[in-house]
Amino acid sequence: MVKSIEELLELAEALVIAKQRKPLSYIQKIILTEALLETKKTYDQIAEENGYSTSYLKNGLAPHLWQLLSDVMGEKVTKANCRCVLERELKDKNIPKMFPKIVSNQPIFLESPEGQVPLNSIFYIERVPSEPICYQEIKNQSALLRIKAPRKMGKTSLMARILDYAQQQDYHPVRLSLHRASSLVFRSTEKFLRWFCANVTQQLSLESQIDEFWDEDVGALVSSSLYFQGYLLEEIQQPIVLALDEVNQLFEYPSLARDILALLRSWHEETRDISNWKKLRFVIVYSTDIYIPLDTNKSPFNVGLGIDLYPFNFEQVQILSQRYGLSLTDQELKKLTELVGGFPYLIRLAFDHCVRRNIPLQQLLETATSDTGIYSDHLHEQLWLLQQDPDLATVYQKIIGQDNPVKVEQVKAFKLKSMGLVHIQGHQVIPSCQLYRQYFQEYFSEV
């Protein structure tokens, strides 16, 4: 029976993970996919379409892939015979879904579900089709990627992979996380831009010349632009990919936000015409729709390519459970997915507890919404965030008390969405998952 490309890729990756404890890379999957198709592309075509040099792909990436597959299959695997070998392996094993069988008897090297998923982690689930689109887009001159999703949805993990891919293209990745900046940085446009320029300079391994370019008479916006154009972009020959994480931090400082966002938009416009600026590409990561007034022509949020990250679907949850070595029924997986709304962090937290503490998933779910369950720390954090804005807490209490969608003021809807507490449907909102509804209903009933 002829197997689908997806089945053969799944088999190959399962075998590789069992061997080396990490999945196939993006470009390895591309090479293997093209080799499995009846109409095979040449290495030259694959390299050109994916931004790799032909020699590196032909003499480095491809031979390494075929050697890796040969090692895990126990026989020589090539571009020409890979489909035949994989189909025979799948038929002989007669295991359509091999992951649970392969990994269940292997030790699982756990990672903390908190924060960014490491680049080589087997627990990272590729966001298709968003991820390949991002890789392709960042190669384009004037690229500006806007990645939006609530907290703990995987934005930073995707951003890290885009920067890693950019580095593979010999670009210069620069990563600025606004949540790591001290509160002093946000006090004025001057302080923020000097912090901004200093960080970029350091990551490019250049000597700072900020004072030489800074002129109080022309102001911080012009000075920073002159610094980038006349120094940073002059010194660096290859493209710079500037990734700004947690840009929504700016929204709490409307005056500063208007200055900085307008500046980013102006730099993006310059990338189309002025030679030095053509080296600059952007990745902007944020957790909510912008809720401060901005001139349409001065906003970076209506240009470039927007990417929204969504919760995991059932198939992604299933794949992740297999990577944890868990043999769970579809009913168990559906129950978990529905409870936490498919939020990646909450899914990983449950699987991590199952493996690390050897507790059945059903047992974990029985106390999941309580103050002593596996999500207690996360729920307390969400509660604390709500308590910082009593009006927002009041609105959320109203939302979870209704069975139907509730219309709320736009700014509050955006703030709740950024926390992952609601989904927005048109001009109305609903709780994002049963976990939050049940926990906060019980909390507010006792207040």
Side-chain angles (χ1 to χ4, degrees):
M1 179 180 178
V2 177
K3 301 297 181 182
S4 70
I5 300 297
E6 290 76 16
E7 286 178 294
L8 298 177
L9 278 173
E10 183 182 80
L11 167 63
E13 184 155 45
L15 292 168
V16 167
I17 289 175
K19 173 75 175 180
Q20 66 174 18
R21 308 307 303 161
K22 64 178 182 180
L24 293 170
S25 69
Y26 167 74
I27 189 60
Q28 286 176 325
K29 290 179 183 178
I30 293 294
I31 296 171
L32 181 55
T33 299
E34 296 297 347
L36 292 171
L37 295 170
E38 291 184 7
T39 306
K40 295 179 172 59
K41 290 181 180 178
T42 65
Y43 287 140
D44 289 0
Q45 290 173 311
I46 298 172
E48 181 179 354
E49 290 176 3
N50 292 278
Y52 287 84
S53 70
T54 301
S55 60
Y56 177 49
L57 191 142
K58 186 183 297 184
N59 301 319
L61 292 171
H64 176 73
L65 172 63
W66 303 131
Q67 185 58 54
L68 176 62
L69 290 176
S70 297
D71 291 344
V72 301
M73 301 293 292
E75 62 178 290
K76 187 174 180 61
V77 179
T78 66
K79 182 181 180 183
N81 75 354
C82 63
R83 177 153 194 158
C84 178
V85 173
L86 287 169
E87 284 189 335
R88 185 175 69 248
E89 178 75 7
L90 198 57
K91 179 181 178 182
D92 291 346
K93 297 285 185 183
N94 194 29
I95 306 174
K97 299 286 185 182
M98 290 194 62
F99 242 131
K101 297 294 184 182
I102 290 174
V103 303
S104 60
N105 295 322
Q106 298 290 334
I108 302 296
F109 299 96
L110 295 175
E111 307 156 357
S112 170
E114 302 289 340
Q116 176 191 317
V117 182
L119 290 174
N120 63 349
S121 173
I122 66 168
F123 302 120
Y124 180 74
I125 302 297
E126 187 173 301
R127 312 305 278 264
V128 179
S130 298
E131 200 159 322
I133 291 173
C134 289
Y135 296 146
Q136 187 65 38
E137 180 66 19
I138 206 63
K139 295 187 298 183
N140 297 331
Q141 181 185 307
S142 300
L144 189 155
L145 281 169
R146 296 177 284 105
I147 302 173
K148 182 181 69 174
R151 296 173 65 246
K152 298 183 181 294
M153 189 66 80
K155 303 184 299 299
T156 303
S157 296
L158 174 57
M159 180 190 73
R161 281 154 180 80
I162 295 170
L163 291 179
D164 181 64
Y165 180 79
Q167 193 164 30
Q168 294 175 30
Q169 316 309 307
D170 292 326
Y171 299 168
H172 297 278
V174 175
R175 175 176 176 173
L176 296 180
S177 297
L178 269 59
H179 68 278
R180 294 180 180 174
S182 72
S183 58
L184 293 175
V185 168
F186 297 93
R187 286 190 174 182
S188 71
T189 299
E190 173 94 14
K191 288 183 180 298
F192 184 89
L193 286 176
R194 287 186 70 94
W195 171 85
F196 186 97
C197 289
N199 274 272
V200 175
T201 304
Q202 186 179 55
Q203 291 191 46
L204 293 174
S205 301
L206 296 173
E207 292 292 328
S208 175
Q209 293 189 14
I210 295 175
D211 289 335
E212 286 82 346
F213 281 83
W214 223 259
D215 187 334
E216 291 184 3
D217 292 332
V218 300
L221 296 174
V222 174
S223 294
S224 59
S225 297
L226 292 173
Y227 185 68
F228 262 78
Q229 183 178 350
Y231 178 51
L232 299 182
L233 295 170
E234 187 72 31
E235 291 291 321
I236 301 298
Q237 299 308 308
Q238 290 294 99
I240 297 172
V241 178
L242 179 56
L244 306 177
D245 197 8
E246 297 292 346
V247 170
N248 45 283
Q249 291 280 110
L250 289 172
F251 300 170
E252 300 299 319
Y253 309 88
S255 179
L256 174 64
R258 280 189 281 270
D259 282 346
I260 302 306
L261 296 175
L263 182 66
L264 294 177
R265 170 64 180 265
S266 72
W267 288 357
H268 172 65
E269 298 292 347
E270 300 286 16
T271 63
R272 301 176 182 177
D273 303 312
I274 301 176
S275 57
N276 271 358
W277 287 105
K278 290 180 181 178
K279 302 173 190 175
L280 190 58
R281 299 163 194 200
F282 297 92
V283 181
I284 297 177
V285 180
Y286 54 111
S287 62
T288 182
D289 299 89
I290 185 166
Y291 51 78
I292 60 173
L294 266 188
D295 186 324
T296 302
N297 298 318
K298 294 183 179 181
S299 171
F301 298 107
N302 54 14
V303 292
L305 177 65
I307 299 291
D308 288 308
L309 295 186
Y310 299 101
F312 284 166
N313 57 33
F314 175 78
E315 288 73 20
Q316 290 170 313
V317 174
Q318 188 177 49
I319 291 172
L320 187 58
S321 73
Q322 293 166 357
R323 293 188 182 180
Y324 273 92
L326 296 168
S327 297
L328 300 171
T329 66
D330 286 355
Q331 184 178 2
E332 288 175 310
L333 292 173
K334 287 177 181 176
K335 185 175 181 179
L336 172 63
T337 305
E338 290 172 1
L339 176 68
V340 302
F343 278 78
Y345 167 72
L346 300 178
I347 296 289
R348 280 196 67 190
L349 194 59
F351 291 160
D352 182 83
H353 273 71
C354 286
V355 176
R356 195 182 298 273
R357 304 184 185 183
N358 195 28
I359 302 175
L361 179 62
Q362 180 59 40
Q363 183 177 333
L364 291 176
L365 295 182
E366 288 173 0
T367 59
T369 61
S370 73
D371 278 318
T372 59
I374 59 172
Y375 297 122
S376 59
D377 288 344
H378 173 70
L379 291 169
H380 294 159
E381 180 186 6
Q382 295 285 57
L383 174 60
W384 182 86
L385 290 171
L386 277 178
Q387 289 173 335
Q388 305 315 297
D389 188 339
D391 289 341
L392 195 64
T394 299
V395 169
Y396 193 60
Q397 183 177 3
K398 177 182 177 183
I399 293 168
I400 60 174
Q402 301 290 325
D403 292 330
N404 298 318
V406 177
K407 186 174 183 179
V408 301
E409 190 258 323
Q410 187 183 60
V411 172
K412 289 183 171 56
F414 286 164
K415 287 184 176 182
L416 289 169
K417 181 183 176 183
S418 74
M419 296 168 62
L421 292 174
V422 302
H423 293 315
I424 297 179
Q425 298 180 343
H427 298 292
Q428 299 177 310
V429 301
I430 59 171
S432 59
C433 64
Q434 287 300 315
L435 175 70
Y436 294 145
R437 183 192 286 273
Q438 293 176 27
Y439 175 79
F440 284 105
Q441 278 182 339
E442 183 172 347
Y443 169 79
F444 286 124
S445 70
E446 296 174 353
V447 174

